[in-house]
């Protein structure tokens, strides 16, 4: 009897692939197909993301945004007339599955680049494959490890933020304002652990005291037994470092337990999609970091341009934070290829390293030693009520400007200069 | 162990019992259908999820939470009736794995239909205004809504118990579960009894879903976690024993709660560890009838 309780994974892969595939075909601007010479194959960009599973919503938005980058590249004439194509694969949030899909994309589909993944461990698995096959991989998910010398290769790029940078930015904002007694509620896997380390390292300068670090299993649907302890310790700040549905449920239940009355809740990353799914009540007043929020379009011209293209292609929707990284990730490799005038990894790498770009959120560039995108972190606070339409969910209350000083140094990461 | 006080342990114990009541609520429909029909309803989690979505739909249509509490069990119960009449009924007498596989497949279809109708993204489900916030229960603060769910679980159990033990229809149901043939000889239409039981079981699953929605939001996959939890509770309590499910649910809640206090990262595993231990010592569970599965 007991082994049957496993039957709880739901597969929608086929339906998703059909939808996504059709979308990708539409995006590839049918009117130009006859211009492409038959003997010139398209430039293939592999895109393994967890379409099914707990991060499906975010992954689907990554696909939508990546399609915008592909369409833009093709509309601008491609690489000397060669068009690009996005090959979306479901990695099911599983490192093994992701490695298999990556290998398949390289061997069978002959992709020139791989962009994607939405988990620290999954991106490391993909990276292992790509660095061995000498294919450029641009990761669009948070990880500290991927920057470190032992996992890095010259084929590895990291467009996403990393936990050290994100948690650091949120910590630098929150610790001086709300107090020194800090409790942590953390998803018990690499992402959560790295975020806590990021908070604690940033906190050293402010002399913070960790009162407790509660680690909860990934995919917890009830936090009622974890919260009383935190409440009893009366911290000034509670850092909740988890992701997706875990974040939605924990914030909702923390609100129900009245934790917000006695402490400030901060999260390293506040997800746009998560806020929509959990509602204003649960996220109300929570402060967090993000790589992108569509609302910066009033101030940042490239954000406005990107949002408008996204809206046009996807019935008026605005891109999410993780979605936008899908756009930037694909855009970077295609622009790199354009600058190099080639698809040869060895020529594209220096071209990407030389990019100084502002595609959607302000200036960015890749640091030479670890290929980490040096970029801003937005500090946002969740609104108690949307004012201008349902997408109006966050206030940007501060911006951590791009600076290598906020990253771990190349020497710390194990790179010899 | 910083901050461990007697008050905290008391709150923790209470939180465990409250969580246990939620587990009981999740499990009771499953246990009822198994106990009376020997059908292992793998679509239990899906009915639970559909309950939450029907509740959501009632809210979208301008209804309120209280209306949803009435509408949901009726709608989901009717879906259950249809499923029993046209899908499960032809499989009676063919062995326990037929309906098991059927409901397993059905759960995929139900989840997929909900995804098509409502999308793959989750929806917020705010706690009803009357029940928002936390109240002082003497040892600490506890969310009012959870206390409400605790009460609701007790009411559901009480009504179910009265129905099964104190009404003549309940007598027929119990008799039908023991020996359908004799009951049939006595002139009772047993298939109608089974229809009702299945409808009641799924209706309770739906009610549990709408009660859980304000705790965790609404998402097509929300049934899969509770299916596992409901099975553990049913197995530990003894397949088919409603009283056993109640005791097992509360026990599982307390075990999770105490594990959460001392080793929170083990909280999820502790449920299954408990089940393994119980099964080793007592394979039929606390109050299970031996041989029900064969």
């Amino acid at each position: 009897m007991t082994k049957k309780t496993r039957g709880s994974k739901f597969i929608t892969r086929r339906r998703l692939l059909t939808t996504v595939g059709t979308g990708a075909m539409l995006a590839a601007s049918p009117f130009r197909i006859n211009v492409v010479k038959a003997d010139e194959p398209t430039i293939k960009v592999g895109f393994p993301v967890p379409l099914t599973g707990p991060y499906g919503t975010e992954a689907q938005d990554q696909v939508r945004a990546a399609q915008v980058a592909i369409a833009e590249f093709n509309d601008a004439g491609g690489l000397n007339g060669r068009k690009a194509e996005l090959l979306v694969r479901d990695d099911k949030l599983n490192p093994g599955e992701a490695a298999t899909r990556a290998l398949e994309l390289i061997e069978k589909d002959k992709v020139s680049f791989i962009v994607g993944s939405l988990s620290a461990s999954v991106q490391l698995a993909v990276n292992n494959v790509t660095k061995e096959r000498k294919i450029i991989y641009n990761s669009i998910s948070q990880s500290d490890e991927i920057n470190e010398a032992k996992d890095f290769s010259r084929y590895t790029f990291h467009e996403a933020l990393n936990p050290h940078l994100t948690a650091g930015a949120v910590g630098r904002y929150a610790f001086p304002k709300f107090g020194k007694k800090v409790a942590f509620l953390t998803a018990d896997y690499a992402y959560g652990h790295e975020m806590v380390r990021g908070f604690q390292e940033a906190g050293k300068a402010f002399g913070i005291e960790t009162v407790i670090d509660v680690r909860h299993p990934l995919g917890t649907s009830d936090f009622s037994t974890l919260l009383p302890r935190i409440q009893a310790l009366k911290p000034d700040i509670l850092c909740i470092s988890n992701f997706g549905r875990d974040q939605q449920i924990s914030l909702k239940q923390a609100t129900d337990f009245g934790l917000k009355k006695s402490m400030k809740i901060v999260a390293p990353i506040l997800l746009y999609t998560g806020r929509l799914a959990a509602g204003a009540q649960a996220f109300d007043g929570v402060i967090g970091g993000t790589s992108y929020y569509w609302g910066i379009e009033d101030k940042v011209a490239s954000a406005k341009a990107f949002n408008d293209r996204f809206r046009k292609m996807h019935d008026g929707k605005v891109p999410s934070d993780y979605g936008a990284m899908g756009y930037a990730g694909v855009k970077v490799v295609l622009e790199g290829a354009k600058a190099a005038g080639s698809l040869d990894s060895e020529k594209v790498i220096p071209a990407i390293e030389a990019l100084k770009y502002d595609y959607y959120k302000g200036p960015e560039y890749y640091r030479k030693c670890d290929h980490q995108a040096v970029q801003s972190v937005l500090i946002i606070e969740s609104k108690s009520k949307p004012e201008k339409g349902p997408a109006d969910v966050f206030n940007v209350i501060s911006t951590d400007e791009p600076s290598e000083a906020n990253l771990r140094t190349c020497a710390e990461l194990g790179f010899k200069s | 162990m910083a901050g461990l006080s007697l008050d905290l342990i008391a709150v923790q114990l209470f939180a465990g019992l409250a969580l246990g009541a939620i587990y009981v609520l999740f499990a009771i429909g499953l246990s009822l259908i198994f106990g009376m029909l020997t059908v292992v309803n793998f679509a239990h989690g899906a009915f639970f999820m559909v309950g939450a979505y029907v509740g959501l739909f009632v809210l979208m249509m301008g209804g309120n939470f209280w209306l949803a509490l009435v509408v949901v069990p009726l709608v989901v119960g009717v879906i259950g009736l249809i499923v029993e009449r046209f899908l499960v009924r032809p499989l009676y007498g063919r062995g326990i794995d037929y309906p098991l596989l059927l409901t397993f497949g059905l759960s995929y279809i139900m989840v997929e239909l909900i995804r098509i109708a409502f999308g793959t993204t989750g929806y917020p489900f705010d706690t009803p205004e009357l029940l928002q916030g936390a109240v002082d229960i003497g040892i600490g603060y506890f969310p009012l809504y959870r206390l409400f769910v605790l009460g609701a679980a007790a009411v559901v159990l009480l009504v179910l118990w009265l129905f099964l033990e104190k009404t003549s229809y309940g007598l027929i149901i119990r008799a039908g579960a023991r020996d359908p043939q004799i009951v049939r000889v006595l002139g009772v239409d047993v298939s109608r009894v089974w229809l009702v039981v299945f409808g009641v079981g799924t209706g309770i699953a739906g009610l549990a879903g709408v009660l859980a929605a304000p705790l965790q939001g609404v998402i097509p996959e929300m049934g899969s976690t509770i299916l596992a939890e409901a099975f553990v509770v049913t197995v530990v309590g003894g397949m088919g024993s409603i009283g056993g499910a109640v005791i097992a649910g509360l026990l599982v809640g307390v075990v999770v709660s105490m594990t959460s206090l001392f080793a929170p990262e083990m909280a999820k595993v502790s449920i299954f560890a408990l089940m393994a231990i119980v099964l080793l010592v007592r394979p039929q569970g606390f109050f299970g009838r031996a041989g029900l599965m064969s």
Side-chain angles (χ1 to χ4, degrees):
Chain A
M1 220 16 273
T2 59
K3 64 175 178 237
K4 284 162 196 149
T5 56
R6 269 201 231 153
S8 56
K9 278 187 188 154
F10 298 96
I11 298 163
T12 47
R13 178 156 170 253
R14 185 180 301 159
R15 189 171 80 82
L16 277 168
L17 286 184
T18 331
T19 327
V20 166
T22 325
M25 267 158 61
L26 287 176
S29 196
F31 303 102
R32 290 164 182 272
I33 282 171
N34 48 3
V35 186
V36 181
K37 291 185 208 114
D39 56 342
E40 254 196 327
T42 53
I43 300 165
K44 290 177 174 157
V45 181
F47 202 72
V49 284
L51 294 172
T52 52
Y55 306 160
T57 309
E58 288 76 21
Q60 285 159 38
D61 205 55
Q62 291 183 320
V63 173
R64 282 194 283 270
Q67 284 164 351
V68 174
I70 297 274
E72 225 170 71
F73 177 79
N74 289 344
D75 288 346
L79 175 63
N80 306 321
R82 262 183 93 176
K83 297 295 151 67
E85 178 189 2
L86 194 68
L87 301 185
V88 180
R89 297 291 181 269
D90 185 6
D91 68 28
K92 298 182 183 162
L93 205 61
N94 174 326
E97 181 81 18
T100 315
R101 292 284 91 83
L103 200 58
E104 217 171 70
L105 283 165
I106 296 168
E107 295 287 315
K108 205 170 120 243
D109 300 310
K110 310 281 180 217
V111 295
S112 304
F113 309 104
I114 290 186
V115 179
S117 86
L118 189 40
S119 139
S121 56
V122 169
Q123 66 187 293
L124 294 174
V126 174
N127 186 46
N128 269 336
V129 174
T130 49
K131 71 184 187 191
E132 193 179 286
R133 304 283 157 150
K134 301 192 181 353
I135 294 285
I136 291 175
Y137 171 48
N138 198 354
S139 166
I140 51 173
S141 164
Q142 292 243 359
S143 169
D144 273 338
E145 234 177 308
I146 200 158
N147 295 131
E148 287 165 15
K150 64 179 166 45
D151 273 290
F152 175 79
S153 79
R154 53 195 303 266
Y155 305 95
T156 311
F157 288 83
H158 195 236
E159 171 61 33
L161 298 173
N162 62 38
H164 181 88
L165 177 59
T166 321
V170 176
R172 282 189 290 278
Y173 178 83
F175 296 141
K177 277 200 177 55
F178 305 112
K180 288 180 184 166
K181 273 173 75 181
V182 183
F184 293 91
L185 176 62
T186 311
D188 192 19
Y189 73 121
Y191 172 90
H193 303 168
E194 289 182 352
M195 287 299 180
V196 171
R197 201 178 59 195
F199 275 121
Q200 286 173 336
E201 273 170 35
K204 275 180 201 157
F206 304 99
I208 65 158
E209 173 207 352
T210 300
V211 293
I212 195 170
D213 179 5
V214 176
R215 304 265 161 118
H216 72 79
L218 201 57
T220 295
S221 57
D222 200 298
F223 291 82
S224 66
T225 56
L226 301 170
L227 299 173
R229 177 107 195 249
I230 293 172
Q231 199 158 27
L233 288 165
K234 300 188 172 61
D236 300 317
I237 299 175
L238 169 62
C239 299
I240 300 188
S241 305
N242 51 18
F243 199 84
R245 195 158 154 72
D246 281 344
Q247 183 181 58
Q248 296 160 28
I249 298 179
S250 55
L251 286 179
K252 187 163 179 61
Q253 297 183 353
T255 307
D256 290 344
F257 268 82
L259 262 56
K260 282 175 185 167
K261 287 194 197 106
S262 57
M263 62 195 84
K264 190 74 189 171
I265 298 183
V266 306
I269 302 177
L270 271 189
L271 288 168
Y272 173 76
T273 42
R275 156 60 188 82
L276 289 187
Q281 208 183 57
F283 274 57
D284 184 12
V286 178
I287 286 177
T290 187
S291 55
Y292 185 69
Y293 174 58
W294 70 271
I296 61 169
E297 66 180 12
D298 298 343
K299 296 197 185 91
V300 183
S302 59
K304 173 86 179 123
F306 167 56
N307 289 343
D308 285 344
R309 277 188 295 265
F310 192 97
R311 285 190 185 105
K312 214 170 138 198
M313 261 181 88
H314 302 292
D315 352 293
K317 279 200 183 89
V318 290
S320 69
D321 30 39
Y322 268 77
M325 277 193 291
Y327 169 78
V330 170
K331 179 112 177 152
V332 159
V333 295
L334 291 176
E335 291 298 320
K338 222 190 239 176
S342 159
L343 293 177
D344 181 2
S345 292
E346 306 306 328
K347 290 187 181 128
V348 178
I349 291 169
I352 297 179
E353 284 176 340
L355 287 177
K356 299 267 181 224
Y357 58 100
D358 176 2
Y359 294 153
Y360 76 113
K361 61 176 285 191
E364 287 185 67
Y365 66 93
Y366 285 95
R367 181 162 71 169
K368 188 87 198 293
C369 74
D370 62 350
H371 289 171
Q372 168 61 43
V374 181
Q375 58 186 303
S376 60
V377 181
L378 306 175
I379 308 297
I380 51 178
E381 181 169 28
S382 196
K383 294 188 176 187
S384 44
K385 237 183 210 137
E387 287 146 28
K388 298 170 272 178
D392 178 33
V393 295
F394 297 134
N395 275 324
V396 178
I397 49 179
S398 168
T399 306
D400 205 54
E401 295 299 340
S403 161
E404 288 191 24
N406 295 338
L407 298 170
R408 287 183 291 169
T409 64
C410 295
E412 274 177 88
L413 295 170
F415 294 103
K416 291 178 192 85
S417 47
Chain B
M1 301 306 309
L4 265 190
S5 65
L6 234 75
D7 267 4
L8 178 62
I9 291 178
V11 172
Q12 200 72 24
L13 198 65
F14 185 78
L17 289 171
L19 181 65
I22 295 173
Y23 286 146
V24 174
L25 195 62
F26 289 173
I28 207 76
L30 183 77
S31 186
L32 177 73
I33 291 176
F34 183 79
M36 303 297 160
L37 272 59
T38 5
V39 166
V40 181
N41 181 16
F42 255 92
H44 180 74
F47 282 107
F48 169 89
M49 177 274 301
V50 168
Y53 271 93
V54 172
L56 184 69
F57 188 73
V58 170
L59 295 188
M60 281 174 169
M61 292 290 108
N64 62 25
F65 181 73
W66 311 103
L67 181 67
L69 283 188
V70 178
V71 172
V72 168
L74 294 177
V75 171
V76 181
V78 167
I79 299 174
L81 294 180
I82 297 169
V83 166
E84 199 277 349
R85 177 63 191 82
F86 296 103
L87 298 174
V88 179
R89 189 175 294 182
L91 302 177
Y92 288 141
R94 287 211 211 179
I96 198 163
D97 39 352
Y98 281 77
L100 189 154
L101 289 171
L102 176 105
T103 50
F104 184 66
L106 182 68
S107 70
Y108 279 72
I109 294 171
M110 287 166 75
V111 169
E112 203 57 35
L113 287 175
I114 288 291
R115 281 181 182 153
I116 290 166
F118 290 87
T120 51
T121 327
Y123 283 89
F125 198 114
D126 282 344
T127 314
E129 233 165 280
L130 207 61
L131 300 174
Q132 279 176 15
V135 287
D136 195 346
I137 52 167
I139 37 176
Y141 280 88
F142 209 73
L144 189 56
Y145 184 73
R146 272 178 197 267
L147 298 176
F148 171 75
V149 175
L150 194 72
V155 169
V156 167
L157 283 169
L158 186 68
V159 170
L160 188 66
W161 181 79
L162 287 175
F163 172 64
L164 288 177
E165 301 290 329
K166 300 290 167 192
T167 65
S168 49
Y169 206 83
L171 186 69
I172 296 173
I173 291 176
R174 279 179 295 136
R178 280 281 165 81
D179 197 335
Q181 218 146 15
I182 296 288
V183 174
R184 208 175 270 136
V185 167
L186 288 171
V188 175
D189 183 356
V190 178
S191 57
R192 192 188 289 170
V193 172
W194 288 343
L195 183 71
V196 169
V197 171
F198 203 88
V200 170
T202 51
I204 296 175
L207 181 66
V210 71
L211 283 169
L215 294 175
Q216 46 172 261
V218 175
I219 188 171
E221 294 79 14
M222 66 190 289
S224 56
T225 353
I226 77 107
L227 181 67
E229 287 158 357
F231 264 105
V232 172
V233 170
T234 311
V235 168
V236 169
M239 295 290 287
S241 164
I242 291 172
V246 173
I247 292 176
L250 296 177
L251 179 67
V252 170
V254 170
V255 166
V256 168
S257 186
M258 287 303 150
T259 320
S260 297
L261 192 55
F262 297 106
E265 55 272 64
M266 307 296 282
K268 218 172 171 182
V269 184
S270 68
I271 300 183
F272 298 99
L274 173 71
M275 179 172 76
I277 294 167
V278 170
L279 286 181
L280 281 174
V281 179
R282 214 180 140 72
Q284 72 271 36
F286 291 160
F287 299 103
R289 276 177 281 159
L292 206 54
M293 293 293 287
S294 47

